[in-house]
Amino acid sequence: MYTKDAQVAWRSPSNIALVKYWGKYGIQLPRNASVSFTLTNAYTNMSIAYQPKSNNEQGVSLYFLFEGQENAKFAQKIQVFLETLVPIFPFLTQLHLNISSSNSFPHSSGIASSASSMSALALCLCSIEQQLLNDFADNEAFLHKASEIARLGSGSAARSVYPYAAVWGYHNDIADSANEYAIPFAMHPYFNTYCNTILIVSRAEKTVSSRAGHALMNDHPYADARYTHANNQLSNLVPILQTGDAQGFINIVENEALTLHGLMMNSNPSFILLHPNTLHIINQIRAFRHDTNIPLCFTLDAGPNVHLLYPAEFATQVQPFIQTNLLAYCQDNYFIEDKVGDGPQKI
Ligand code: PMV
């Protein structure tokens, strides 16, 4: 029995997919394998203080603060999620949890926080398990479980527990890959230097939820072709990531971004999440690349904001280009500087 109060805390980053996860089945299992860069500056800090429950109430007991304020909507979501985890973490019914969460990026920045927040929550839960039961064989076993729990909260969050890059979803060419959890992916160190400048075309919240978006793939006429294509894209991207081939990277990564939006546009119902300014930015990036031969490229999430990807050695050329040619297309000239990072930290 747990008699004393204790606390765990993690900082966990967001990630940006290169080959996209779009379409799922069962309990948050992916229809195709995906790979992402783990980011640095877009992160969630989460702490959970826990103590033995003082009453005999059933279920999970928690108090939740988001950015220092009570937030009933988020608290309810976490409550529901934690109830589903009781079979995995039976101790959850014996504790009262004080959860406090905050993001490094503003709430209305157009940046989704599910990957960073769900991975932070999963890491905290595994740390509580470690403190109470001391039952992880090693750090690998700890991260493996954290990835699986993160996936249950938000599929893409499974990838955020690893530094630099992670693969999630079974893939023939990738040893130990699995649908239930992500695994770390060892890249050529050149890709560890990649910058990710996020151009905020719109700060508005997404008009299609991630759940509804994935559901669009269920009756999609191109679904099977997409899943095969995604797995082929990953087969082609693996050697590029392993050899540091910055030119080879561009075609696959840009095609993945536009394929994701193509699938949304030709879904039924159809969604157009690209903004005219997204297209202006893409055209500018392609013209810059043509003129300079600098391997600057873009990817997109399920929204209008543009993630620029480029090696750090070209930052001195790319940054003035962003200032003079791209910022005019951003809402309030807003952008976020991020880069590939070394994964979550215990704080
Ligand atoms: O993890 P979810 O359910 O929010 O889905 C993420 C989907 C994309 O961001 C569009 C792609 C990806 O692989 O991260």
Side-chain angles (χ1 to χ4, degrees), residues 225-266:
R226 162 59 190 163
Y227 304 139
T228 305
H229 181 238
N231 285 324
N232 292 341
Q233 297 265 70
L234 187 51
S235 296
N236 294 332
L237 190 58
V238 162
I240 286 170
L241 292 174
Q242 286 169 337
T243 57
D245 175 4
Q247 291 295 339
F249 179 82
I250 295 168
N251 246 337
I252 296 176
V253 168
E254 292 193 349
N255 181 273
E256 272 298 301
L258 296 173
T259 297
L260 171 71
H261 283 265
L263 289 166
M264 285 189 268
M265 286 192 236
N266 53 33

Short mmCIF file of all heavy atoms in Angstrom, two decimals, residues 225-266:
data_model
loop_
_atom_site.label_atom_id
_atom_site.label_comp_id
_atom_site.label_asym_id
_atom_site.label_seq_id
_atom_site.Cartn_x
_atom_site.Cartn_y
_atom_site.Cartn_z
N ALA A 225 -4.82 1.68 -51.84
CA ALA A 225 -3.66 2.18 -52.60
C ALA A 225 -2.80 3.07 -51.71
O ALA A 225 -1.57 3.03 -51.76
CB ALA A 225 -4.13 2.95 -53.83
N ARG A 226 -3.46 3.86 -50.86
CA ARG A 226 -2.70 4.74 -49.95
C ARG A 226 -1.84 3.93 -48.98
O ARG A 226 -0.68 4.24 -48.76
CB ARG A 226 -3.67 5.65 -49.17
CG ARG A 226 -3.06 6.28 -47.92
CD ARG A 226 -1.83 7.14 -48.23
NE ARG A 226 -1.13 7.53 -47.01
CZ ARG A 226 0.12 7.99 -46.98
NH1 ARG A 226 0.82 8.10 -48.10
NH2 ARG A 226 0.68 8.32 -45.85
N TYR A 227 -2.40 2.91 -48.38
CA TYR A 227 -1.62 2.17 -47.37
C TYR A 227 -0.41 1.50 -48.02
O TYR A 227 0.69 1.49 -47.45
CB TYR A 227 -2.50 1.15 -46.64
CG TYR A 227 -3.73 1.78 -45.98
CD1 TYR A 227 -4.97 1.16 -46.01
CD2 TYR A 227 -3.64 3.03 -45.35
CE1 TYR A 227 -6.09 1.76 -45.43
CE2 TYR A 227 -4.75 3.62 -44.78
CZ TYR A 227 -5.97 2.99 -44.83
OH TYR A 227 -7.07 3.58 -44.26
N THR A 228 -0.61 0.98 -49.24
CA THR A 228 0.52 0.38 -49.95
C THR A 228 1.56 1.45 -50.29
O THR A 228 2.76 1.27 -50.10
CB THR A 228 0.03 -0.28 -51.27
OG1 THR A 228 -1.01 -1.19 -50.92
CG2 THR A 228 1.13 -1.00 -52.00
N HIS A 229 1.05 2.59 -50.77
CA HIS A 229 1.95 3.70 -51.14
C HIS A 229 2.75 4.18 -49.94
O HIS A 229 3.96 4.39 -50.02
CB HIS A 229 1.10 4.86 -51.71
CG HIS A 229 1.88 6.04 -52.16
ND1 HIS A 229 1.67 7.30 -51.64
CD2 HIS A 229 2.86 6.18 -53.08
CE1 HIS A 229 2.50 8.15 -52.22
NE2 HIS A 229 3.23 7.50 -53.10
N ALA A 230 2.08 4.33 -48.80
CA ALA A 230 2.76 4.82 -47.60
C ALA A 230 3.88 3.86 -47.20
O ALA A 230 5.00 4.29 -46.88
CB ALA A 230 1.77 4.97 -46.44
N ASN A 231 3.60 2.57 -47.25
CA ASN A 231 4.64 1.62 -46.86
C ASN A 231 5.79 1.64 -47.87
O ASN A 231 6.96 1.51 -47.49
CB ASN A 231 4.05 0.21 -46.68
CG ASN A 231 3.26 0.13 -45.36
OD1 ASN A 231 3.64 0.73 -44.35
ND2 ASN A 231 2.16 -0.60 -45.36
N ASN A 232 5.47 1.85 -49.16
CA ASN A 232 6.55 1.99 -50.16
C ASN A 232 7.35 3.27 -49.94
O ASN A 232 8.57 3.28 -50.09
CB ASN A 232 5.97 2.00 -51.58
CG ASN A 232 5.39 0.65 -51.96
OD1 ASN A 232 5.73 -0.36 -51.34
ND2 ASN A 232 4.50 0.62 -52.95
N GLN A 233 6.66 4.33 -49.59
CA GLN A 233 7.37 5.60 -49.32
C GLN A 233 8.37 5.40 -48.18
O GLN A 233 9.49 5.90 -48.21
CB GLN A 233 6.38 6.69 -48.89
CG GLN A 233 5.35 7.06 -49.93
CD GLN A 233 5.77 8.27 -50.75
OE1 GLN A 233 6.69 8.18 -51.56
NE2 GLN A 233 5.09 9.37 -50.59
N LEU A 234 7.93 4.65 -47.16
CA LEU A 234 8.83 4.41 -46.02
C LEU A 234 10.01 3.53 -46.45
O LEU A 234 11.16 3.81 -46.07
CB LEU A 234 8.05 3.80 -44.85
CG LEU A 234 8.81 3.66 -43.53
CD1 LEU A 234 9.50 4.96 -43.11
CD2 LEU A 234 7.85 3.22 -42.42
N SER A 235 9.74 2.53 -47.29
CA SER A 235 10.85 1.68 -47.80
C SER A 235 11.88 2.56 -48.50
O SER A 235 13.08 2.35 -48.36
CB SER A 235 10.35 0.67 -48.83
OG SER A 235 9.46 -0.21 -48.25
N ASN A 236 11.38 3.54 -49.26
CA ASN A 236 12.30 4.40 -50.01
C ASN A 236 12.99 5.42 -49.11
O ASN A 236 14.13 5.82 -49.36
CB ASN A 236 11.55 5.13 -51.13
CG ASN A 236 11.06 4.16 -52.19
OD1 ASN A 236 11.65 3.11 -52.40
ND2 ASN A 236 9.94 4.49 -52.84
N LEU A 237 12.29 5.86 -48.07
CA LEU A 237 12.87 6.89 -47.20
C LEU A 237 13.93 6.32 -46.24
O LEU A 237 14.87 7.03 -45.88
CB LEU A 237 11.74 7.58 -46.39
CG LEU A 237 12.12 8.83 -45.62
CD1 LEU A 237 12.70 9.92 -46.53
CD2 LEU A 237 10.90 9.39 -44.86
N VAL A 238 13.79 5.05 -45.86
CA VAL A 238 14.73 4.48 -44.89
C VAL A 238 16.20 4.64 -45.33
O VAL A 238 17.01 5.21 -44.59
CB VAL A 238 14.36 3.00 -44.57
CG1 VAL A 238 15.52 2.25 -43.93
CG2 VAL A 238 13.15 2.96 -43.65
N PRO A 239 16.57 4.20 -46.55
CA PRO A 239 17.98 4.37 -46.93
C PRO A 239 18.39 5.83 -47.06
O PRO A 239 19.55 6.18 -46.79
CB PRO A 239 18.10 3.65 -48.28
CG PRO A 239 16.70 3.45 -48.75
CD PRO A 239 15.82 3.44 -47.56
N ILE A 240 17.44 6.69 -47.40
CA ILE A 240 17.74 8.13 -47.52
C ILE A 240 18.09 8.68 -46.13
O ILE A 240 19.07 9.42 -45.95
CB ILE A 240 16.52 8.84 -48.14
CG1 ILE A 240 16.45 8.51 -49.63
CG2 ILE A 240 16.54 10.35 -47.88
CD1 ILE A 240 15.18 8.95 -50.32
N LEU A 241 17.31 8.30 -45.14
CA LEU A 241 17.57 8.77 -43.76
C LEU A 241 18.86 8.17 -43.23
O LEU A 241 19.58 8.80 -42.46
CB LEU A 241 16.39 8.40 -42.84
CG LEU A 241 15.07 9.14 -43.10
CD1 LEU A 241 13.96 8.56 -42.22
CD2 LEU A 241 15.21 10.64 -42.85
N GLN A 242 19.15 6.94 -43.64
CA GLN A 242 20.36 6.29 -43.11
C GLN A 242 21.63 6.83 -43.74
O GLN A 242 22.69 6.80 -43.12
CB GLN A 242 20.27 4.78 -43.32
CG GLN A 242 19.27 4.14 -42.36
CD GLN A 242 18.94 2.69 -42.71
OE1 GLN A 242 19.10 2.26 -43.86
NE2 GLN A 242 18.48 1.93 -41.72
N THR A 243 21.53 7.34 -44.99
CA THR A 243 22.75 7.79 -45.67
C THR A 243 22.90 9.31 -45.63
O THR A 243 23.91 9.83 -46.08
CB THR A 243 22.76 7.34 -47.15
OG1 THR A 243 21.56 7.85 -47.77
CG2 THR A 243 22.81 5.83 -47.27
N GLY A 244 21.89 10.02 -45.13
CA GLY A 244 22.00 11.48 -45.06
C GLY A 244 21.76 12.14 -46.42
O GLY A 244 22.35 13.18 -46.72
N ASP A 245 20.89 11.56 -47.23
CA ASP A 245 20.63 12.06 -48.59
C ASP A 245 19.57 13.17 -48.56
O ASP A 245 18.37 12.91 -48.70
CB ASP A 245 20.18 10.85 -49.43
CG ASP A 245 19.76 11.23 -50.84
OD1 ASP A 245 19.88 12.42 -51.21
OD2 ASP A 245 19.30 10.33 -51.56
N ALA A 246 20.04 14.41 -48.42
CA ALA A 246 19.12 15.55 -48.26
C ALA A 246 18.28 15.79 -49.51
O ALA A 246 17.14 16.27 -49.42
CB ALA A 246 19.91 16.80 -47.90
N GLN A 247 18.82 15.48 -50.68
CA GLN A 247 18.05 15.70 -51.93
C GLN A 247 16.96 14.64 -52.07
O GLN A 247 15.81 14.96 -52.40
CB GLN A 247 18.98 15.68 -53.15
CG GLN A 247 19.94 16.87 -53.24
CD GLN A 247 19.22 18.22 -53.44
OE1 GLN A 247 18.09 18.27 -53.89
NE2 GLN A 247 19.90 19.30 -53.08
N GLY A 248 17.30 13.39 -51.81
CA GLY A 248 16.33 12.30 -51.92
C GLY A 248 15.16 12.47 -50.96
O GLY A 248 14.02 12.09 -51.25
N PHE A 249 15.45 13.08 -49.83
CA PHE A 249 14.46 13.32 -48.77
C PHE A 249 13.29 14.18 -49.27
O PHE A 249 12.14 13.95 -48.93
CB PHE A 249 15.24 14.05 -47.66
CG PHE A 249 14.47 14.44 -46.44
CD1 PHE A 249 14.23 13.53 -45.42
CD2 PHE A 249 14.04 15.76 -46.27
CE1 PHE A 249 13.57 13.91 -44.26
CE2 PHE A 249 13.38 16.14 -45.11
CZ PHE A 249 13.14 15.21 -44.10
N ILE A 250 13.62 15.17 -50.11
CA ILE A 250 12.64 16.22 -50.48
C ILE A 250 11.41 15.65 -51.16
O ILE A 250 10.27 15.93 -50.77
CB ILE A 250 13.33 17.25 -51.41
CG1 ILE A 250 14.42 17.99 -50.65
CG2 ILE A 250 12.31 18.21 -52.03
CD1 ILE A 250 15.35 18.81 -51.54
N ASN A 251 11.64 14.84 -52.18
CA ASN A 251 10.52 14.33 -52.99
C ASN A 251 9.53 13.54 -52.17
O ASN A 251 8.32 13.74 -52.28
CB ASN A 251 11.07 13.39 -54.07
CG ASN A 251 10.84 13.99 -55.42
OD1 ASN A 251 9.95 14.82 -55.58
ND2 ASN A 251 11.64 13.56 -56.38
N ILE A 252 10.05 12.65 -51.34
CA ILE A 252 9.16 11.78 -50.56
C ILE A 252 8.40 12.60 -49.53
O ILE A 252 7.19 12.45 -49.37
CB ILE A 252 9.97 10.65 -49.89
CG1 ILE A 252 10.59 9.76 -50.96
CG2 ILE A 252 9.10 9.85 -48.93
CD1 ILE A 252 11.49 8.66 -50.43
N VAL A 253 9.10 13.49 -48.85
CA VAL A 253 8.48 14.22 -47.75
C VAL A 253 7.40 15.18 -48.27
O VAL A 253 6.31 15.27 -47.70
CB VAL A 253 9.58 14.94 -46.91
CG1 VAL A 253 8.98 15.93 -45.94
CG2 VAL A 253 10.40 13.90 -46.17
N GLU A 254 7.69 15.87 -49.36
CA GLU A 254 6.68 16.79 -49.91
C GLU A 254 5.50 16.00 -50.47
O GLU A 254 4.34 16.38 -50.32
CB GLU A 254 7.30 17.71 -50.97
CG GLU A 254 8.29 18.69 -50.35
CD GLU A 254 8.70 19.84 -51.27
OE1 GLU A 254 8.37 19.80 -52.48
OE2 GLU A 254 9.34 20.77 -50.76
N ASN A 255 5.79 14.89 -51.12
CA ASN A 255 4.71 14.07 -51.67
C ASN A 255 3.80 13.55 -50.55
O ASN A 255 2.57 13.52 -50.70
CB ASN A 255 5.30 12.92 -52.47
CG ASN A 255 4.21 12.06 -53.08
OD1 ASN A 255 3.72 11.14 -52.44
ND2 ASN A 255 3.80 12.39 -54.30
N GLU A 256 4.38 13.16 -49.43
CA GLU A 256 3.58 12.69 -48.30
C GLU A 256 2.62 13.77 -47.79
O GLU A 256 1.46 13.51 -47.50
CB GLU A 256 4.49 12.25 -47.15
CG GLU A 256 4.92 10.82 -47.25
CD GLU A 256 3.75 9.85 -47.18
OE1 GLU A 256 3.02 9.85 -46.17
OE2 GLU A 256 3.57 9.08 -48.12
N ALA A 257 3.14 14.99 -47.68
CA ALA A 257 2.32 16.10 -47.18
C ALA A 257 1.14 16.34 -48.11
O ALA A 257 -0.01 16.49 -47.68
CB ALA A 257 3.17 17.36 -47.04
N LEU A 258 1.42 16.37 -49.42
CA LEU A 258 0.36 16.69 -50.38
C LEU A 258 -0.59 15.51 -50.54
O LEU A 258 -1.79 15.69 -50.79
CB LEU A 258 0.98 17.11 -51.71
CG LEU A 258 1.80 18.41 -51.60
CD1 LEU A 258 2.53 18.71 -52.90
CD2 LEU A 258 0.91 19.60 -51.20
N THR A 259 -0.08 14.29 -50.37
CA THR A 259 -0.95 13.12 -50.42
C THR A 259 -1.96 13.16 -49.28
O THR A 259 -3.15 12.89 -49.46
CB THR A 259 -0.11 11.82 -50.36
OG1 THR A 259 0.73 11.77 -51.51
CG2 THR A 259 -0.99 10.58 -50.33
N LEU A 260 -1.47 13.51 -48.08
CA LEU A 260 -2.38 13.62 -46.92
C LEU A 260 -3.53 14.58 -47.23
O LEU A 260 -4.70 14.29 -47.00
CB LEU A 260 -1.57 14.11 -45.70
CG LEU A 260 -2.36 14.50 -44.46
CD1 LEU A 260 -2.94 13.26 -43.79
CD2 LEU A 260 -1.45 15.24 -43.45
N HIS A 261 -3.17 15.74 -47.79
CA HIS A 261 -4.22 16.73 -48.09
C HIS A 261 -5.07 16.29 -49.28
O HIS A 261 -6.28 16.55 -49.31
CB HIS A 261 -3.60 18.12 -48.28
CG HIS A 261 -3.27 18.72 -46.96
ND1 HIS A 261 -4.12 19.58 -46.29
CD2 HIS A 261 -2.22 18.52 -46.12
CE1 HIS A 261 -3.59 19.89 -45.12
NE2 HIS A 261 -2.43 19.27 -45.00
N GLY A 262 -4.45 15.61 -50.25
CA GLY A 262 -5.22 15.06 -51.36
C GLY A 262 -6.28 14.09 -50.86
O GLY A 262 -7.44 14.13 -51.27
N LEU A 263 -5.89 13.24 -49.93
CA LEU A 263 -6.84 12.26 -49.37
C LEU A 263 -7.99 12.97 -48.66
O LEU A 263 -9.14 12.53 -48.73
CB LEU A 263 -6.13 11.34 -48.37
CG LEU A 263 -5.16 10.33 -49.00
CD1 LEU A 263 -4.26 9.72 -47.93
CD2 LEU A 263 -5.92 9.22 -49.74
N MET A 264 -7.68 14.09 -48.00
CA MET A 264 -8.76 14.83 -47.32
C MET A 264 -9.68 15.49 -48.34
O MET A 264 -10.88 15.55 -48.15
CB MET A 264 -8.17 15.85 -46.36
CG MET A 264 -7.63 15.21 -45.11
SD MET A 264 -7.18 16.41 -43.88
CE MET A 264 -5.48 16.66 -44.29
N MET A 265 -9.07 15.99 -49.41
CA MET A 265 -9.89 16.69 -50.40
C MET A 265 -10.80 15.73 -51.14
O MET A 265 -11.93 16.08 -51.47
CB MET A 265 -8.98 17.41 -51.41
CG MET A 265 -8.34 18.65 -50.82
SD MET A 265 -7.59 19.62 -52.12
CE MET A 265 -5.93 19.75 -51.53
N ASN A 266 -10.34 14.50 -51.41
CA ASN A 266 -11.21 13.59 -52.14
C ASN A 266 -11.89 12.56 -51.23
O ASN A 266 -12.36 11.54 -51.69
CB ASN A 266 -10.52 12.96 -53.35
CG ASN A 266 -9.20 12.30 -52.99
OD1 ASN A 266 -9.06 11.77 -51.90
ND2 ASN A 266 -8.25 12.33 -53.90
#
